[in-house]
Amino acid sequence: MAAQTVLIVYAHQSAGSFNAAIKDAAVDALKKQGCNVLVSDLYEMKFKATATKEDITEEVKNPEHFCYGNETMLAWQEGRLASDIVDEHKKLKEADLVIFQFPMYWFSVPAIMKGWMDRVLTLGFAFTLEKRYSEGIFRDKKAMLSFTTGSHETMFSSNGINGDMNVTLWPIQNGVLNYCGFQVLAPQIFWAPTHLSSEVREGLLEGWGARLQGLLSEAPLTFPPADIFDEGKGFQLKPEVQEKQAESPFGLTVGHHLEKPLPPHNQMKAGV
């Protein structure tokens, strides 16, 4: 079997940070398994976060009303995208697994990483209206979030002050990764490391190292297949699926809750 390629999209400003240590542990463990490991160190690269017409070389087609999605799709088709996007496209094409490594900012990813998603997941290259979700372009690839929080785990529980982490994760894991077809692995969450001793942090890195041993063969989180939604009726869940789900005490997912209790651990554990 050919060696697998892992792309780590990494966003932290300091090489002395715990995020850097997490990233380095992943690079070491994956290389020892024989993987090809690519790292996009976004701050080091001074990666441009804003989606603008500068992402297209030569003239844009409609300068009066610049539409980023359409213009970049055309530029991708015609080989007119900015070189930094093209470089990331090459890495993404090679990757069997993409790990996003970051400190959580405002319940989401840092702006520079959101900019990577906005600019690199180009319409046509990463998704189309026909090729999305379970029929998505990257359905043979895996992706996952690995991140640190400022708050303790209890604060991100269903009765904690921040609310349920499963809900927090839904926009990125479903709205970005699953949308592009990725098989989404359970997130690796390092809760409030700044409040921990160096010994405990070392233990967290060892736990991450252990997970990395079997990471590439892990089963992904469960998302509903696109074909259970009726395109002719505004992509609503088909009645027969709703009937089947009526007997369940829980909704389908965090987002497709059907006005029922959320399925426990839906965005944090596979197989539930």
PDB file of all heavy atoms in Angstrom, residues 120-154:
ATOM      1  N   VAL A 120      -9.028  28.637  -0.168  1.00  0.00           N
ATOM      2  CA  VAL A 120      -8.488  27.386  -0.734  1.00  0.00           C
ATOM      3  C   VAL A 120      -9.606  26.424  -1.146  1.00  0.00           C
ATOM      4  O   VAL A 120      -9.458  25.663  -2.102  1.00  0.00           O
ATOM      5  CB  VAL A 120      -7.517  26.717   0.266  1.00  0.00           C
ATOM      6  CG1 VAL A 120      -7.025  25.378  -0.256  1.00  0.00           C
ATOM      7  CG2 VAL A 120      -6.332  27.648   0.541  1.00  0.00           C
ATOM      8  N   LEU A 121     -10.722  26.478  -0.449  1.00  0.00           N
ATOM      9  CA  LEU A 121     -11.837  25.579  -0.791  1.00  0.00           C
ATOM     10  C   LEU A 121     -12.672  26.231  -1.899  1.00  0.00           C
ATOM     11  O   LEU A 121     -13.834  26.590  -1.735  1.00  0.00           O
ATOM     12  CB  LEU A 121     -12.672  25.273   0.456  1.00  0.00           C
ATOM     13  CG  LEU A 121     -11.890  24.579   1.578  1.00  0.00           C
ATOM     14  CD1 LEU A 121     -12.760  24.379   2.808  1.00  0.00           C
ATOM     15  CD2 LEU A 121     -11.305  23.230   1.110  1.00  0.00           C
ATOM     16  N   THR A 122     -12.032  26.349  -3.040  1.00  0.00           N
ATOM     17  CA  THR A 122     -12.565  27.082  -4.184  1.00  0.00           C
ATOM     18  C   THR A 122     -13.760  26.356  -4.808  1.00  0.00           C
ATOM     19  O   THR A 122     -13.749  25.129  -4.941  1.00  0.00           O
ATOM     20  CB  THR A 122     -11.451  27.226  -5.255  1.00  0.00           C
ATOM     21  OG1 THR A 122     -10.282  27.763  -4.636  1.00  0.00           O
ATOM     22  CG2 THR A 122     -11.875  28.107  -6.407  1.00  0.00           C
ATOM     23  N   LEU A 123     -14.777  27.155  -5.189  1.00  0.00           N
ATOM     24  CA  LEU A 123     -15.919  26.612  -5.921  1.00  0.00           C
ATOM     25  C   LEU A 123     -15.406  25.918  -7.186  1.00  0.00           C
ATOM     26  O   LEU A 123     -14.614  26.480  -7.936  1.00  0.00           O
ATOM     27  CB  LEU A 123     -16.882  27.754  -6.280  1.00  0.00           C
ATOM     28  CG  LEU A 123     -18.106  27.404  -7.119  1.00  0.00           C
ATOM     29  CD1 LEU A 123     -18.993  26.378  -6.430  1.00  0.00           C
ATOM     30  CD2 LEU A 123     -18.912  28.665  -7.444  1.00  0.00           C
ATOM     31  N   GLY A 124     -15.842  24.690  -7.415  1.00  0.00           N
ATOM     32  CA  GLY A 124     -15.362  23.906  -8.562  1.00  0.00           C
ATOM     33  C   GLY A 124     -14.264  22.948  -8.144  1.00  0.00           C
ATOM     34  O   GLY A 124     -14.324  21.756  -8.440  1.00  0.00           O
ATOM     35  N   PHE A 125     -13.287  23.454  -7.417  1.00  0.00           N
ATOM     36  CA  PHE A 125     -12.186  22.610  -6.939  1.00  0.00           C
ATOM     37  C   PHE A 125     -12.603  21.787  -5.724  1.00  0.00           C
ATOM     38  O   PHE A 125     -12.323  20.592  -5.638  1.00  0.00           O
ATOM     39  CB  PHE A 125     -10.971  23.479  -6.580  1.00  0.00           C
ATOM     40  CG  PHE A 125      -9.883  22.720  -5.849  1.00  0.00           C
ATOM     41  CD1 PHE A 125      -9.021  21.874  -6.539  1.00  0.00           C
ATOM     42  CD2 PHE A 125      -9.732  22.845  -4.467  1.00  0.00           C
ATOM     43  CE1 PHE A 125      -8.032  21.166  -5.871  1.00  0.00           C
ATOM     44  CE2 PHE A 125      -8.747  22.139  -3.794  1.00  0.00           C
ATOM     45  CZ  PHE A 125      -7.894  21.290  -4.493  1.00  0.00           C
ATOM     46  N   ALA A 126     -13.282  22.418  -4.757  1.00  0.00           N
ATOM     47  CA  ALA A 126     -13.610  21.747  -3.495  1.00  0.00           C
ATOM     48  C   ALA A 126     -15.078  21.357  -3.380  1.00  0.00           C
ATOM     49  O   ALA A 126     -15.415  20.473  -2.599  1.00  0.00           O
ATOM     50  CB  ALA A 126     -13.229  22.650  -2.321  1.00  0.00           C
ATOM     51  N   PHE A 127     -15.934  22.005  -4.120  1.00  0.00           N
ATOM     52  CA  PHE A 127     -17.366  21.693  -4.067  1.00  0.00           C
ATOM     53  C   PHE A 127     -18.076  22.298  -5.264  1.00  0.00           C
ATOM     54  O   PHE A 127     -17.589  23.236  -5.895  1.00  0.00           O
ATOM     55  CB  PHE A 127     -18.000  22.263  -2.776  1.00  0.00           C
ATOM     56  CG  PHE A 127     -18.103  23.768  -2.766  1.00  0.00           C
ATOM     57  CD1 PHE A 127     -19.272  24.410  -3.139  1.00  0.00           C
ATOM     58  CD2 PHE A 127     -17.016  24.554  -2.402  1.00  0.00           C
ATOM     59  CE1 PHE A 127     -19.364  25.805  -3.151  1.00  0.00           C
ATOM     60  CE2 PHE A 127     -17.095  25.940  -2.405  1.00  0.00           C
ATOM     61  CZ  PHE A 127     -18.272  26.564  -2.787  1.00  0.00           C
ATOM     62  N   THR A 128     -19.223  21.738  -5.598  1.00  0.00           N
ATOM     63  CA  THR A 128     -20.179  22.368  -6.510  1.00  0.00           C
ATOM     64  C   THR A 128     -21.555  22.125  -5.906  1.00  0.00           C
ATOM     65  O   THR A 128     -21.694  21.372  -4.937  1.00  0.00           O
ATOM     66  CB  THR A 128     -20.146  21.753  -7.931  1.00  0.00           C
ATOM     67  OG1 THR A 128     -20.642  20.400  -7.848  1.00  0.00           O
ATOM     68  CG2 THR A 128     -18.737  21.740  -8.525  1.00  0.00           C
ATOM     69  N   LEU A 129     -22.585  22.726  -6.465  1.00  0.00           N
ATOM     70  CA  LEU A 129     -23.936  22.512  -5.933  1.00  0.00           C
ATOM     71  C   LEU A 129     -24.381  21.061  -6.123  1.00  0.00           C
ATOM     72  O   LEU A 129     -25.222  20.562  -5.385  1.00  0.00           O
ATOM     73  CB  LEU A 129     -24.923  23.478  -6.588  1.00  0.00           C
ATOM     74  CG  LEU A 129     -24.702  24.959  -6.245  1.00  0.00           C
ATOM     75  CD1 LEU A 129     -25.785  25.832  -6.847  1.00  0.00           C
ATOM     76  CD2 LEU A 129     -24.641  25.181  -4.727  1.00  0.00           C
ATOM     77  N   GLU A 130     -23.811  20.382  -7.118  1.00  0.00           N
ATOM     78  CA  GLU A 130     -24.140  18.960  -7.325  1.00  0.00           C
ATOM     79  C   GLU A 130     -23.249  18.056  -6.485  1.00  0.00           C
ATOM     80  O   GLU A 130     -23.675  16.974  -6.063  1.00  0.00           O
ATOM     81  CB  GLU A 130     -23.977  18.580  -8.807  1.00  0.00           C
ATOM     82  CG  GLU A 130     -24.894  19.295  -9.784  1.00  0.00           C
ATOM     83  CD  GLU A 130     -24.488  20.752 -10.030  1.00  0.00           C
ATOM     84  OE1 GLU A 130     -23.275  21.029 -10.112  1.00  0.00           O
ATOM     85  OE2 GLU A 130     -25.396  21.608 -10.134  1.00  0.00           O
ATOM     86  N   LYS A 131     -22.031  18.472  -6.255  1.00  0.00           N
ATOM     87  CA  LYS A 131     -21.052  17.638  -5.531  1.00  0.00           C
ATOM     88  C   LYS A 131     -20.773  18.252  -4.158  1.00  0.00           C
ATOM     89  O   LYS A 131     -19.856  19.058  -4.001  1.00  0.00           O
ATOM     90  CB  LYS A 131     -19.750  17.515  -6.341  1.00  0.00           C
ATOM     91  CG  LYS A 131     -19.923  16.756  -7.642  1.00  0.00           C
ATOM     92  CD  LYS A 131     -18.619  16.686  -8.404  1.00  0.00           C
ATOM     93  CE  LYS A 131     -18.806  15.927  -9.714  1.00  0.00           C
ATOM     94  NZ  LYS A 131     -17.573  15.941 -10.514  1.00  0.00           N
ATOM     95  N   ARG A 132     -21.589  17.860  -3.187  1.00  0.00           N
ATOM     96  CA  ARG A 132     -21.420  18.350  -1.817  1.00  0.00           C
ATOM     97  C   ARG A 132     -21.972  17.307  -0.856  1.00  0.00           C
ATOM     98  O   ARG A 132     -22.671  16.388  -1.263  1.00  0.00           O
ATOM     99  CB  ARG A 132     -22.098  19.703  -1.619  1.00  0.00           C
ATOM    100  CG  ARG A 132     -23.561  19.704  -1.996  1.00  0.00           C
ATOM    101  CD  ARG A 132     -24.174  21.074  -1.872  1.00  0.00           C
ATOM    102  NE  ARG A 132     -25.546  21.068  -2.358  1.00  0.00           N
ATOM    103  CZ  ARG A 132     -26.399  22.069  -2.211  1.00  0.00           C
ATOM    104  NH1 ARG A 132     -26.010  23.172  -1.599  1.00  0.00           N
ATOM    105  NH2 ARG A 132     -27.630  21.993  -2.670  1.00  0.00           N
ATOM    106  N   TYR A 133     -21.657  17.488   0.404  1.00  0.00           N
ATOM    107  CA  TYR A 133     -22.050  16.544   1.455  1.00  0.00           C
ATOM    108  C   TYR A 133     -21.597  15.127   1.078  1.00  0.00           C
ATOM    109  O   TYR A 133     -20.452  14.962   0.646  1.00  0.00           O
ATOM    110  CB  TYR A 133     -23.553  16.655   1.740  1.00  0.00           C
ATOM    111  CG  TYR A 133     -23.925  17.967   2.405  1.00  0.00           C
ATOM    112  CD1 TYR A 133     -24.809  18.858   1.807  1.00  0.00           C
ATOM    113  CD2 TYR A 133     -23.367  18.336   3.627  1.00  0.00           C
ATOM    114  CE1 TYR A 133     -25.135  20.071   2.409  1.00  0.00           C
ATOM    115  CE2 TYR A 133     -23.691  19.552   4.242  1.00  0.00           C
ATOM    116  CZ  TYR A 133     -24.568  20.398   3.623  1.00  0.00           C
ATOM    117  OH  TYR A 133     -24.879  21.594   4.217  1.00  0.00           O
ATOM    118  N   SER A 134     -22.438  14.117   1.207  1.00  0.00           N
ATOM    119  CA  SER A 134     -21.986  12.733   0.991  1.00  0.00           C
ATOM    120  C   SER A 134     -21.578  12.472  -0.459  1.00  0.00           C
ATOM    121  O   SER A 134     -20.918  11.475  -0.756  1.00  0.00           O
ATOM    122  CB  SER A 134     -23.083  11.741   1.406  1.00  0.00           C
ATOM    123  OG  SER A 134     -24.282  12.001   0.700  1.00  0.00           O
ATOM    124  N   GLU A 135     -21.960  13.354  -1.364  1.00  0.00           N
ATOM    125  CA  GLU A 135     -21.559  13.217  -2.769  1.00  0.00           C
ATOM    126  C   GLU A 135     -20.443  14.205  -3.103  1.00  0.00           C
ATOM    127  O   GLU A 135     -20.181  14.507  -4.258  1.00  0.00           O
ATOM    128  CB  GLU A 135     -22.781  13.439  -3.672  1.00  0.00           C
ATOM    129  CG  GLU A 135     -23.784  12.284  -3.569  1.00  0.00           C
ATOM    130  CD  GLU A 135     -25.219  12.707  -3.865  1.00  0.00           C
ATOM    131  OE1 GLU A 135     -25.401  13.747  -4.527  1.00  0.00           O
ATOM    132  OE2 GLU A 135     -26.137  11.999  -3.434  1.00  0.00           O
ATOM    133  N   GLY A 136     -19.768  14.697  -2.069  1.00  0.00           N
ATOM    134  CA  GLY A 136     -18.780  15.761  -2.234  1.00  0.00           C
ATOM    135  C   GLY A 136     -17.487  15.321  -2.908  1.00  0.00           C
ATOM    136  O   GLY A 136     -17.161  14.134  -2.981  1.00  0.00           O
ATOM    137  N   ILE A 137     -16.758  16.306  -3.373  1.00  0.00           N
ATOM    138  CA  ILE A 137     -15.521  16.093  -4.134  1.00  0.00           C
ATOM    139  C   ILE A 137     -14.458  15.390  -3.292  1.00  0.00           C
ATOM    140  O   ILE A 137     -13.701  14.558  -3.794  1.00  0.00           O
ATOM    141  CB  ILE A 137     -15.016  17.447  -4.689  1.00  0.00           C
ATOM    142  CG1 ILE A 137     -15.968  17.917  -5.816  1.00  0.00           C
ATOM    143  CG2 ILE A 137     -13.567  17.349  -5.201  1.00  0.00           C
ATOM    144  CD1 ILE A 137     -15.780  19.344  -6.274  1.00  0.00           C
ATOM    145  N   PHE A 138     -14.406  15.657  -1.988  1.00  0.00           N
ATOM    146  CA  PHE A 138     -13.353  15.090  -1.128  1.00  0.00           C
ATOM    147  C   PHE A 138     -13.848  13.877  -0.322  1.00  0.00           C
ATOM    148  O   PHE A 138     -13.317  13.582   0.749  1.00  0.00           O
ATOM    149  CB  PHE A 138     -12.803  16.161  -0.183  1.00  0.00           C
ATOM    150  CG  PHE A 138     -12.124  17.309  -0.894  1.00  0.00           C
ATOM    151  CD1 PHE A 138     -12.203  18.600  -0.382  1.00  0.00           C
ATOM    152  CD2 PHE A 138     -11.413  17.116  -2.068  1.00  0.00           C
ATOM    153  CE1 PHE A 138     -11.571  19.667  -1.033  1.00  0.00           C
ATOM    154  CE2 PHE A 138     -10.791  18.165  -2.725  1.00  0.00           C
ATOM    155  CZ  PHE A 138     -10.869  19.447  -2.202  1.00  0.00           C
ATOM    156  N   ARG A 139     -14.820  13.135  -0.861  1.00  0.00           N
ATOM    157  CA  ARG A 139     -15.395  12.024  -0.084  1.00  0.00           C
ATOM    158  C   ARG A 139     -14.418  10.877   0.159  1.00  0.00           C
ATOM    159  O   ARG A 139     -14.665  10.035   1.023  1.00  0.00           O
ATOM    160  CB  ARG A 139     -16.687  11.517  -0.722  1.00  0.00           C
ATOM    161  CG  ARG A 139     -16.546  10.963  -2.129  1.00  0.00           C
ATOM    162  CD  ARG A 139     -17.930  10.696  -2.731  1.00  0.00           C
ATOM    163  NE  ARG A 139     -17.824  10.251  -4.112  1.00  0.00           N
ATOM    164  CZ  ARG A 139     -17.709  11.059  -5.166  1.00  0.00           C
ATOM    165  NH1 ARG A 139     -17.669  12.370  -4.978  1.00  0.00           N
ATOM    166  NH2 ARG A 139     -17.620  10.576  -6.382  1.00  0.00           N
ATOM    167  N   ASP A 140     -13.316  10.845  -0.581  1.00  0.00           N
ATOM    168  CA  ASP A 140     -12.288   9.812  -0.335  1.00  0.00           C
ATOM    169  C   ASP A 140     -11.194  10.308   0.609  1.00  0.00           C
ATOM    170  O   ASP A 140     -10.206   9.615   0.834  1.00  0.00           O
ATOM    171  CB  ASP A 140     -11.675   9.337  -1.658  1.00  0.00           C
ATOM    172  CG  ASP A 140     -12.693   8.613  -2.526  1.00  0.00           C
ATOM    173  OD1 ASP A 140     -13.588   7.954  -1.947  1.00  0.00           O
ATOM    174  OD2 ASP A 140     -12.620   8.723  -3.764  1.00  0.00           O
ATOM    175  N   LYS A 141     -11.363  11.510   1.135  1.00  0.00           N
ATOM    176  CA  LYS A 141     -10.374  12.073   2.067  1.00  0.00           C
ATOM    177  C   LYS A 141     -10.982  12.197   3.467  1.00  0.00           C
ATOM    178  O   LYS A 141     -12.204  12.258   3.607  1.00  0.00           O
ATOM    179  CB  LYS A 141      -9.918  13.461   1.597  1.00  0.00           C
ATOM    180  CG  LYS A 141      -9.252  13.503   0.216  1.00  0.00           C
ATOM    181  CD  LYS A 141      -8.890  14.934  -0.148  1.00  0.00           C
ATOM    182  CE  LYS A 141      -8.352  15.060  -1.570  1.00  0.00           C
ATOM    183  NZ  LYS A 141      -7.025  14.436  -1.715  1.00  0.00           N
ATOM    184  N   LYS A 142     -10.119  12.254   4.471  1.00  0.00           N
ATOM    185  CA  LYS A 142     -10.566  12.479   5.844  1.00  0.00           C
ATOM    186  C   LYS A 142     -10.062  13.839   6.317  1.00  0.00           C
ATOM    187  O   LYS A 142      -9.049  14.336   5.819  1.00  0.00           O
ATOM    188  CB  LYS A 142     -10.055  11.366   6.763  1.00  0.00           C
ATOM    189  CG  LYS A 142     -10.673  10.010   6.448  1.00  0.00           C
ATOM    190  CD  LYS A 142     -10.169   8.910   7.371  1.00  0.00           C
ATOM    191  CE  LYS A 142     -10.897   7.597   7.052  1.00  0.00           C
ATOM    192  NZ  LYS A 142     -10.437   6.494   7.914  1.00  0.00           N
ATOM    193  N   ALA A 143     -10.769  14.406   7.272  1.00  0.00           N
ATOM    194  CA  ALA A 143     -10.349  15.685   7.859  1.00  0.00           C
ATOM    195  C   ALA A 143     -10.766  15.698   9.321  1.00  0.00           C
ATOM    196  O   ALA A 143     -11.709  15.008   9.720  1.00  0.00           O
ATOM    197  CB  ALA A 143     -10.975  16.859   7.121  1.00  0.00           C
ATOM    198  N   MET A 144     -10.052  16.495  10.120  1.00  0.00           N
ATOM    199  CA  MET A 144     -10.397  16.604  11.534  1.00  0.00           C
ATOM    200  C   MET A 144      -9.900  17.921  12.116  1.00  0.00           C
ATOM    201  O   MET A 144      -8.965  18.544  11.582  1.00  0.00           O
ATOM    202  CB  MET A 144      -9.816  15.441  12.335  1.00  0.00           C
ATOM    203  CG  MET A 144      -8.300  15.463  12.437  1.00  0.00           C
ATOM    204  SD  MET A 144      -7.660  14.198  13.566  1.00  0.00           S
ATOM    205  CE  MET A 144      -8.198  14.839  15.153  1.00  0.00           C
ATOM    206  N   LEU A 145     -10.525  18.321  13.211  1.00  0.00           N
ATOM    207  CA  LEU A 145     -10.092  19.481  13.977  1.00  0.00           C
ATOM    208  C   LEU A 145      -9.319  19.010  15.195  1.00  0.00           C
ATOM    209  O   LEU A 145      -9.724  18.063  15.877  1.00  0.00           O
ATOM    210  CB  LEU A 145     -11.305  20.283  14.451  1.00  0.00           C
ATOM    211  CG  LEU A 145     -12.319  20.715  13.389  1.00  0.00           C
ATOM    212  CD1 LEU A 145     -13.453  21.502  14.041  1.00  0.00           C
ATOM    213  CD2 LEU A 145     -11.659  21.532  12.283  1.00  0.00           C
ATOM    214  N   SER A 146      -8.187  19.655  15.464  1.00  0.00           N
ATOM    215  CA  SER A 146      -7.413  19.424  16.685  1.00  0.00           C
ATOM    216  C   SER A 146      -7.139  20.809  17.262  1.00  0.00           C
ATOM    217  O   SER A 146      -6.514  21.639  16.608  1.00  0.00           O
ATOM    218  CB  SER A 146      -6.108  18.698  16.358  1.00  0.00           C
ATOM    219  OG  SER A 146      -5.283  18.634  17.504  1.00  0.00           O
ATOM    220  N   PHE A 147      -7.642  21.060  18.473  1.00  0.00           N
ATOM    221  CA  PHE A 147      -7.556  22.438  18.956  1.00  0.00           C
ATOM    222  C   PHE A 147      -7.508  22.527  20.479  1.00  0.00           C
ATOM    223  O   PHE A 147      -7.859  21.589  21.191  1.00  0.00           O
ATOM    224  CB  PHE A 147      -8.733  23.262  18.417  1.00  0.00           C
ATOM    225  CG  PHE A 147     -10.098  22.783  18.835  1.00  0.00           C
ATOM    226  CD1 PHE A 147     -10.724  23.305  19.953  1.00  0.00           C
ATOM    227  CD2 PHE A 147     -10.770  21.816  18.092  1.00  0.00           C
ATOM    228  CE1 PHE A 147     -11.990  22.885  20.338  1.00  0.00           C
ATOM    229  CE2 PHE A 147     -12.038  21.376  18.467  1.00  0.00           C
ATOM    230  CZ  PHE A 147     -12.650  21.910  19.595  1.00  0.00           C
ATOM    231  N   THR A 148      -7.050  23.681  20.926  1.00  0.00           N
ATOM    232  CA  THR A 148      -7.012  23.999  22.356  1.00  0.00           C
ATOM    233  C   THR A 148      -8.151  24.970  22.666  1.00  0.00           C
ATOM    234  O   THR A 148      -8.576  25.740  21.798  1.00  0.00           O
ATOM    235  CB  THR A 148      -5.679  24.650  22.745  1.00  0.00           C
ATOM    236  OG1 THR A 148      -5.476  25.829  21.936  1.00  0.00           O
ATOM    237  CG2 THR A 148      -4.512  23.695  22.534  1.00  0.00           C
ATOM    238  N   THR A 149      -8.616  24.917  23.904  1.00  0.00           N
ATOM    239  CA  THR A 149      -9.647  25.865  24.343  1.00  0.00           C
ATOM    240  C   THR A 149      -9.095  26.743  25.463  1.00  0.00           C
ATOM    241  O   THR A 149      -8.130  26.369  26.138  1.00  0.00           O
ATOM    242  CB  THR A 149     -10.895  25.135  24.878  1.00  0.00           C
ATOM    243  OG1 THR A 149     -10.547  24.443  26.084  1.00  0.00           O
ATOM    244  CG2 THR A 149     -11.469  24.164  23.872  1.00  0.00           C
ATOM    245  N   GLY A 150      -9.741  27.874  25.670  1.00  0.00           N
ATOM    246  CA  GLY A 150      -9.415  28.691  26.827  1.00  0.00           C
ATOM    247  C   GLY A 150     -10.232  28.274  28.040  1.00  0.00           C
ATOM    248  O   GLY A 150      -9.819  28.456  29.172  1.00  0.00           O
ATOM    249  N   SER A 151     -11.411  27.699  27.778  1.00  0.00           N
ATOM    250  CA  SER A 151     -12.339  27.328  28.852  1.00  0.00           C
ATOM    251  C   SER A 151     -12.215  25.859  29.213  1.00  0.00           C
ATOM    252  O   SER A 151     -11.855  25.026  28.380  1.00  0.00           O
ATOM    253  CB  SER A 151     -13.781  27.589  28.402  1.00  0.00           C
ATOM    254  OG  SER A 151     -13.997  28.942  28.120  1.00  0.00           O
ATOM    255  N   HIS A 152     -12.596  25.540  30.443  1.00  0.00           N
ATOM    256  CA  HIS A 152     -12.597  24.153  30.910  1.00  0.00           C
ATOM    257  C   HIS A 152     -13.713  23.354  30.231  1.00  0.00           C
ATOM    258  O   HIS A 152     -14.718  23.918  29.787  1.00  0.00           O
ATOM    259  CB  HIS A 152     -12.785  24.108  32.430  1.00  0.00           C
ATOM    260  CG  HIS A 152     -11.638  24.711  33.179  1.00  0.00           C
ATOM    261  ND1 HIS A 152     -10.415  24.080  33.280  1.00  0.00           N
ATOM    262  CD2 HIS A 152     -11.518  25.888  33.852  1.00  0.00           C
ATOM    263  CE1 HIS A 152      -9.589  24.845  33.986  1.00  0.00           C
ATOM    264  NE2 HIS A 152     -10.231  25.941  34.343  1.00  0.00           N
ATOM    265  N   GLU A 153     -13.546  22.035  30.219  1.00  0.00           N
ATOM    266  CA  GLU A 153     -14.521  21.147  29.576  1.00  0.00           C
ATOM    267  C   GLU A 153     -15.929  21.327  30.153  1.00  0.00           C
ATOM    268  O   GLU A 153     -16.916  21.318  29.421  1.00  0.00           O
ATOM    269  CB  GLU A 153     -14.060  19.692  29.741  1.00  0.00           C
ATOM    270  CG  GLU A 153     -14.927  18.694  29.014  1.00  0.00           C
ATOM    271  CD  GLU A 153     -14.359  17.285  29.041  1.00  0.00           C
ATOM    272  OE1 GLU A 153     -13.342  17.045  29.719  1.00  0.00           O
ATOM    273  OE2 GLU A 153     -14.955  16.412  28.372  1.00  0.00           O
ATOM    274  N   THR A 154     -16.025  21.510  31.470  1.00  0.00           N
ATOM    275  CA  THR A 154     -17.344  21.666  32.102  1.00  0.00           C
ATOM    276  C   THR A 154     -18.102  22.866  31.543  1.00  0.00           C
ATOM    277  O   THR A 154     -19.335  22.862  31.469  1.00  0.00           O
ATOM    278  CB  THR A 154     -17.197  21.857  33.629  1.00  0.00           C
ATOM    279  OG1 THR A 154     -16.263  22.923  33.869  1.00  0.00           O
ATOM    280  CG2 THR A 154     -16.703  20.586  34.301  1.00  0.00           C
TER     281      THR A 154
END
